[in-house]
Amino acid sequence: ILEAVQGDHDTISKLAGAIARNDTGAVCALLQARGVTVSDDEVRAVVRGATTGDASACTCTCTCT
């Protein structure tokens, strides 16, 4: 996922916003537009991990400017 959005600040911002809103449909659409196919369960796990701080579900390292 990170490789698919690396260097695209607009997509990173949209992805972060979709995750913050728990909008799994938007997350899927953004990733699919970047060529990443993920299941609904995978997206729910990423969103759940990002919004609950559950490191076992999702570990992300991002640098935003």
Side-chain angles (χ1 to χ4, degrees):
I1 293 171
L2 293 176
E3 287 178 17
V5 299
Q6 185 175 358
D8 185 342
H9 299 290
D10 185 50
T11 300
I12 291 169
S13 294
K14 288 178 182 177
L15 187 59
I19 291 170
R21 293 188 309 276
N22 292 320
D23 188 345
T24 57
V27 172
C28 281
L30 284 165
L31 293 175
Q32 287 175 352
R34 303 297 295 205
V36 177
T37 302
V38 291
S39 71
D40 290 340
D41 288 338
E42 289 171 317
V43 172
R44 281 192 289 274
V46 169
V47 170
R48 183 177 47 252
T51 57
T52 64
D54 181 359
S56 66
C58 175
T59 302
C60 299
T61 303
C62 301
T63 303
C64 301
T65 56

